[in-house]
């Protein structure tokens, strides 16, 4: 394991080589990289192991421990998000133990080189225990886990570039100060941002890569976020930076690193894909029926990128995917919320300096107590009992400090529910919890005349679980901390005027190909608003039979529609929601709308039948 480094690395460590490379890269033209025809997509049902080059000299083996999308999950996630095929998993002190065990296992096998690599979204969309302190807790527990490097993800930009700099370099929050009373020194690991550059000078906002040496063999780690980040974060915080194509950026750095004699590279990128059933359940280390943006990214990569550590989709997989040479690279992802760790082993040739092979297995960061029959212990309320033997004490000490500090707010009961209200989608893409949140936002703004509410599915981060009792409250009672975990972004709630015709265009923009939309995202809608989807119809003609309270929507009439300000500013590609007029902003945040609605409960799950497939 790499030893923890003093804060001084921020100025000096690895800076000379990246600075030289950045200077050279800035002079290179951006050249489109065409995809080279390669082998068919590899879809095994077993952990991946890829041969990368012929051995010509003595070799050295190194371990890379990968994970992604931690999202400040100090505590174990609840509901289905905290289960990996029935095994309770996640939580910072349990992730720390999983990492330590894997490092010790490698060392016992004679592997003395180990680095821990994170593919973005360490922070942002975090539960209250981290978000209340501007995600300083997340960075501090990752420091305690001895993370060695991380790429930026889209959520690293939730509060803008200036706040990302604070996460890297430290310092107290400009408004709230250092709330825990002991300062904040920032990440001990470098954040890498190769494809995010300043508009003013074209240079990366942070280091684009770092170099590790394994018994004299240099390996470069190039880090980046997805090019589409501007469409999924608040534009106010990123107005002075540009986001570039992942493949073009990676290959530019591969060229320069190659000139410097580096032949082995790892791409740490916050973009991914997903397995699809069958089989069911999916193997965490499998690659069944795989698809997603990371496939095309890998297909365009210089073959020196023998390993790609990915993220963003919150899915688990280990795959062999063809790169630009037609040969395969190893591509991994470890789900989300610290529930899994990818144990990657690479063999390097000391003479050629190339990867010889690479393999990966996803390992569950287990946190439960196993019964003799293979099930896991639960308490009287049905919550999993956590295993004290699996706790990393160094991480727990930090986590407990923030748990105590946030407990009075987090454990305050604010409402109640009748049953689990989940994010499980219907075939049309509607969810019971999406219905409830849309209803909450409509109720919050109805006094101002609002008639319809829309909610983006990506803004719903967790289910509400009936039996969950984080503060010891009765089953069915919901705490502020639980509500905040569902909606952690502190978006504003705004109401705008649209014509019926404009509302139809908003709904059509849920589908790829209509007015610039690139990803299908189904808005969640409030009660009384219904419509029919014709999935096979061409883009722009998929929506019909739109009604409000049983009456057909009038294309010429004006309606007041409530959304969060992320959507109202055109987020998630909903540019038509930025065309509203007479915007009115409600007091407080979106989580306040949810807590006010839950206070009128007990609230039942939404019916999830407000829009249907025709």
């Amino acid at each position: 394991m790499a030893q923890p480094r003093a804060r001084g690395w921020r100025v000096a460590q690895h800076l000379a080589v990246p600075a030289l490379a950045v200077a050279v890269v800035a002079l290179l033209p951006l050249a489109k990289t065409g995809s080279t025809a390669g082998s068919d997509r590899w879809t095994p049902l077993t952990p991946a192991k890829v041969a990368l080059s012929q051995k010509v000299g003595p070799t050295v083996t190194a371990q890379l421990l990968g994970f992604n999308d931690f999202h400040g999950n100090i505590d174990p996630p609840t509901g289905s998000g905290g289960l990996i095929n029935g095994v309770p998993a996640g939580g910072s002190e349990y992730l720390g133990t999983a990492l330590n065990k894997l490092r010790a296992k490698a060392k016992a096998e004679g592997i003395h080189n180990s680095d821990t690599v994170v593919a973005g979204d360490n922070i942002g969309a975090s539960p209250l225990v981290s978000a209340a302190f501007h995600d300083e807790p997340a960075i501090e527990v990752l420091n305690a886990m001895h993370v060695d490097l991380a790429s930026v993800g889209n959520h690293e930009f939730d509060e803008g570039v200036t706040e990302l700099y604070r996460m890297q370099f430290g310092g107290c929050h400009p408004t709230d100060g250092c709330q825990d009373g002991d300062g904040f020194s920032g990440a001990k690991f470098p954040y890498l941002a190769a494809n995010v550059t300043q508009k003013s000078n074209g240079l990366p906002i942070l280091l684009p890569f770092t170099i590790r040496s394994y018994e004299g063999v240099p390996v470069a780690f190039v880090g980046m976020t997805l090019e589409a980040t501007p469409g999924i974060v608040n534009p106010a915080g990123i107005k002075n930076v540009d986001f570039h194509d992942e493949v073009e950026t990676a290959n530019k750095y591969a060229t320069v690193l190659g000139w410097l004699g580096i032949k082995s590279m790892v791409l740490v990128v916050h973009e991914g894909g997903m397995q699809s059933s069958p089989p069911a359940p999916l193997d965490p280390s499998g690659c069944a029926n795989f698809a997603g943006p990371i496939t095309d990214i890998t297909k365009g990569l210089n073959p020196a990128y023998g390993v790609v550590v990915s993220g963003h989709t919150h899915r688990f997989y280990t795959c062999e995917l063809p790169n630009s040479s037609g040969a395969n690279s190893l591509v991994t992802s470890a789900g989300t919320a610290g529930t899994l760790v990818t144990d990657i082993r690479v063999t390097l040739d000391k003479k050629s300096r190339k990867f010889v092979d690479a393999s990966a297995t996803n390992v569950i960061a287990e946190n439960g107590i196993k019964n003799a029959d293979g099930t896991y212990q639960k308490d009287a309320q049905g919550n999993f009992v956590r295993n004290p033997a699996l706790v990393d004490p160094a991480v727990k000490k930090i986590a407990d400090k923030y748990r105590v500090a946030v407990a009075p707010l987090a454990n305050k009961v604010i409402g109640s529910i009748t049953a689990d209200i989940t994010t499980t989608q219907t075939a049309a893409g509607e969810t019971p919890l999406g219905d409830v949140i849309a209803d909450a936002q409509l109720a919050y703004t109805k006094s101002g005349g609002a008639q319809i509410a829309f909610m983006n599915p990506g803004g719903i981060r967790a289910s509400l679980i009936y039996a969950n009792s984080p503060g010891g409250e009765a089953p069915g009672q919901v705490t502020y901390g639980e509500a905040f975990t569902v909606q952690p972004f502190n978006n504003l709630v705004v109401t705008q005027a649209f014509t019926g015709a404009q509302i139809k265009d908003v709904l059509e923009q849920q589908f790829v190909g209509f007015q610039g939309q690139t990803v299908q995202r189904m808005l969640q809608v409030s009660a009384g608003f219904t419509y029919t989807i014709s999935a096979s119809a061409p883009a722009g003609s998929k929506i019909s039979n739109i009604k409000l309270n049983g009456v057909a929507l009038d294309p010429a009439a004006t309606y007041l529609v409530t959304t969060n300000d992320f959507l109202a500013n055109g987020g998630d590609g909903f540019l038509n929601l930025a065309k509203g007029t007479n915007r009115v902003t409600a007091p407080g945040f979106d989580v306040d709308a949810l807590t006010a609605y839950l206070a009128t409960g007990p609230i039942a799950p939404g019916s999830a039948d407000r829009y249907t497939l025709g």
Side-chain angles (χ1 to χ4, degrees), residues 413-417 465-470 472-479 482:
V413 174
I414 49 84
S416 59
I417 57 178
I465 304 301
Y466 183 84
N468 190 40
S469 301
E473 69 279 4
Q477 290 185 324
V478 180
T479 65
E482 290 177 281

Side-chain angles (χ1 to χ4, degrees), residues 142-415:
L142 292 169
N143 286 342
M145 293 177 202
H146 306 303
V147 167
D148 291 285
L149 61 101
S151 72
V152 292
N154 55 286
H155 283 287
E156 263 74 20
F157 296 92
D158 280 350
E159 295 189 43
V161 174
T162 300
E163 177 67 357
L164 173 58
Y165 285 148
R166 193 177 75 87
M167 292 292 100
Q168 177 70 95
F169 301 114
C172 296
H173 190 270
T175 301
D176 295 332
C178 286
Q179 297 163 278
D180 64 352
D182 61 4
F184 177 63
S185 59
K188 293 180 180 179
F189 52 89
Y191 260 121
L192 307 178
N195 68 332
V196 188
T197 60
Q198 298 283 0
K199 289 182 183 292
S200 60
N201 56 24
L203 296 178
I205 63 169
L206 292 165
L207 288 178
F209 65 87
T210 189
I211 298 170
R212 314 295 287 176
S213 179
Y214 302 124
E215 297 182 24
V217 181
V219 176
F221 293 80
V222 178
M224 62 184 70
T225 187
L226 70 160
E227 183 186 12
T229 292
I232 51 178
V233 301
N234 194 316
I238 58 170
K239 59 186 178 182
N240 295 322
V241 299
D242 292 316
F243 293 80
H244 301 284
D245 180 87
E246 303 95 337
V247 175
E248 293 169 6
T249 304
N251 287 347
K252 281 175 55 175
Y253 280 102
T255 297
V256 174
L257 289 163
W259 292 343
L260 298 174
I262 297 172
K263 306 298 183 184
S264 299
M265 302 172 201
V266 177
L267 181 63
V268 187
V269 58
H270 191 70
E271 181 60 292
M274 63 189 70
Q275 302 185 69
S276 298
S277 296
L282 291 165
D283 182 352
S285 297
C287 191
N289 303 305
F290 188 82
I294 198 65
T295 302
D296 285 338
I297 290 173
T298 305
K299 191 180 295 183
L301 289 178
N302 185 309
Y305 288 105
V307 177
V308 178
V309 181
S310 68
H312 187 55
T313 58
H314 291 197
R315 305 301 180 98
F316 47 65
Y317 48 83
T318 69
C319 297
E320 296 183 23
L321 299 178
N323 56 46
S324 65
S325 72
N328 288 330
S329 293
L330 179 72
V331 181
T332 73
S333 178
T336 183
T339 54
L340 290 160
V341 179
T342 311
D343 188 358
I344 303 168
R345 307 295 179 91
V346 295
T347 305
L348 296 143
D349 191 297
K350 291 185 176 181
K351 184 174 182 180
S352 69
R353 293 186 164 188
K354 293 181 178 181
F355 287 123
V356 175
D357 57 47
S359 63
T361 304
N362 276 329
V363 178
I364 299 174
E366 191 173 334
N367 62 34
I369 299 175
K370 201 168 189 177
N371 296 315
D373 63 359
T375 61
Y376 286 82
Q377 289 184 25
K378 293 184 178 181
D379 61 21
Q381 286 74 43
N383 301 303
F384 285 105
V385 177
R386 309 303 178 185
N387 190 343
L390 298 177
V391 167
D392 180 333
V395 175
K396 186 177 186 299
K397 181 178 180 181
I398 297 168
D400 283 348
K401 176 182 72 170
Y402 288 106
R403 287 170 179 148
V404 170
V406 82
L409 175 61
N411 294 335
K412 181 181 179 181
V413 174
I414 49 84

Side-chain angles (χ1 to χ4, degrees), residues 565-608:
D565 64 328
F566 170 74
L567 281 176
N569 293 333
D572 275 349
F574 286 100
L575 301 180
N576 286 317
L577 281 172
K579 297 178 180 179
T581 58
N582 301 323
R583 181 184 294 199
V584 175
T585 302
F589 299 107
D590 51 0
V591 69
D592 298 316
L594 179 60
T595 58
Y597 189 66
L598 291 170
T600 67
I603 301 297
S607 58

